[in-house]
DNA sequence: ACGGCCGTACATACTTGGTATACATATTGA
DNA sequence: TCAATATGTATACCAAGTATGTACGGCCGT
């Protein structure tokens, strides 16, 4: 997923500059997420190129000048369109583990069941980590909980699929 | 996921040229997947740059010459390492629907429950499509079934999460 | 026969998403 | 005082993926 719409969304509540957008993203919008500052500026450039935002140079009280970005009408329309429309639900063809299993079946000397077993173990460990993080988030911030709940559900579904693979390929 | 390891995997059973790799990928390895031919050649270039494959110019019987790629020992080692090691299980921070909900909660005039409801409907439709595709694949090819089973499990997990969001945010 | 389309085959330009790093100044704290 | 940290922007670079260009040959219909 790209960060375009996150920026448009943050700008909907008023103009901000790049550094500020990143801080707000990390500290408020997606608290578990990190955002590379370089990506913020290149994304802002592209959004401006496409007419979604425009910037104004502002000389700060500290002497540093900032580029403060604001949504254009076009940008606001794009944001509304994005929010109102459904998100793509990719089928995850090109799934790495599926590919690994498929290749293992076509190579001599590699047992696909071993591959499945190793992936299962890794998935379990990950689930354990995430479950602990989920417990720590409990009651702190509802959105942090939701994001971790999603991760848990996804990992459980994947484990179920691995079991299913093992059975069907045996 | 990148296509690097798919190509290494296909080359493990003997040398092939670019066009052939793409055909084999689409017709045998991941039958539901499409592979852009341009990506095959650029990936082969990078694999060669990194010493994983090497090529030989072969003049075909038809007069067209091909570049036939083969795994090097280094490439075979990389393939084995990849198969033996676990795949990354990304937490899917930057999930688009989560972002949409989070932004909706921060903007006036947008009801996050509406967002959830719309995503649910889209997800249901997708699930319906995939379920039909799954029924068509039944008994035809076990790997096609597995890939579609994964898609179904994923979509069901996501629907469950949307219900969960609705409840927690109400 | 020939003109168009399709299959085979490779190459390149371009876009996007993402990381790392460089650069500059102000504040803060040991 | 001097080093680390915070604020702020910019750029280079890389990988993944898409679209397009360029050949050549075979097949098919009129």
């Amino acid at each position: 997923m790209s960060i375009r719409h996150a920026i448009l969304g943050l700008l909907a509540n008023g103009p901000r500059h790049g550094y500020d957008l990143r801080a707000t993203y990390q500290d408020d919008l997606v608290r578990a997420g990190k955002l590379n500052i370089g990506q913020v500026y290149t994304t802002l450039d592209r959004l401006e190129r496409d007419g979604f935002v425009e910037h104004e140079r502002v000389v700060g009280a500290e002497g540093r000048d900032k580029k403060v970005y604001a949504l254009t009408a076009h940008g606001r329309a794009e944001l509304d369109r994005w929010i109102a429309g459904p998100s793509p639900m990719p089928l995850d063809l090109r799934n790495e583990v599926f590919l690994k299993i498929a290749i293992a079946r076509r190579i001599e000397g590699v047992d696909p069941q071993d591959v499945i077993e190793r992936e299962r173990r890794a998935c379990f460990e990950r689930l354990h980590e995430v479950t602990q993080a989920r417990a720590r988030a409990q009651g702190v911030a509802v959105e942090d909980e939701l994001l971790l709940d999603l991760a848990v559900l996804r990992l459980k579904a994947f484990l179920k699929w691995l079991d299913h693979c093992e059975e069907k390929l045996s």
Side-chain angles (χ1 to χ4, degrees), chain A:
Chain A
M1 194 218 54
S2 105
I3 224 59
R4 281 168 67 93
H5 292 103
I7 289 181
L8 291 181
L10 289 173
L11 290 179
N13 288 324
R16 287 178 183 279
H17 58 96
Y19 194 80
D20 191 21
L21 283 166
R22 179 224 200 184
T24 309
Y25 179 90
Q26 293 187 157
D27 302 343
D28 176 52
L29 192 60
V30 186
R31 296 233 311 264
K34 294 286 170 205
L35 195 47
N36 186 296
I37 185 63
Q39 203 182 345
V40 175
Y41 292 112
T42 51
T43 302
L44 281 169
D45 287 345
R46 283 171 200 157
L47 287 171
E48 185 151 46
R49 178 200 61 192
D50 299 338
F52 295 131
V53 304
E54 55 195 7
H55 81 269
E56 191 190 358
R57 191 144 234 132
V58 170
V59 179
E62 322 85 355
R64 289 190 291 270
D65 52 337
K66 310 169 186 180
K67 285 166 77 172
V68 174
Y69 288 83
L71 272 192
T72 62
H74 187 207
R76 177 68 207 212
E78 166 59 19
L79 177 62
D80 291 339
R81 190 202 57 71
W82 177 69
I83 290 181
S87 298
M89 295 278 164
L91 275 202
D92 201 14
L93 305 171
R94 304 211 183 176
N95 182 77
E96 179 160 332
V97 178
F98 172 79
L99 187 66
K100 214 178 268 193
I101 294 170
I103 287 174
R105 293 184 76 211
R106 285 164 178 76
I107 297 182
E108 296 168 59
V110 181
D111 185 355
Q113 297 290 350
D114 290 348
V115 172
I116 294 171
E117 183 51 32
R118 278 192 293 264
E119 294 294 341
R120 197 208 318 275
R121 248 196 294 270
C123 196
F124 252 117
E125 279 174 37
R126 199 90 174 94
L127 179 59
H128 192 239
E129 289 167 26
V130 175
T131 304
Q132 289 189 324
R134 176 62 182 82
R136 284 193 299 275
Q138 178 62 40
V140 178
V142 69
E143 287 179 358
D144 294 9
E145 294 175 27
L146 287 177
L147 208 42
L148 290 165
D149 287 336
L150 176 59
V152 168
L153 286 170
R154 281 237 209 268
L155 286 169
K156 285 185 176 168
F158 203 74
L159 279 171
K160 205 165 155 186
W161 181 71
L162 287 171
D163 290 344
H164 182 63
C165 285
E166 187 171 38
E167 200 184 326
K168 287 202 80 163
L169 296 180
S170 64

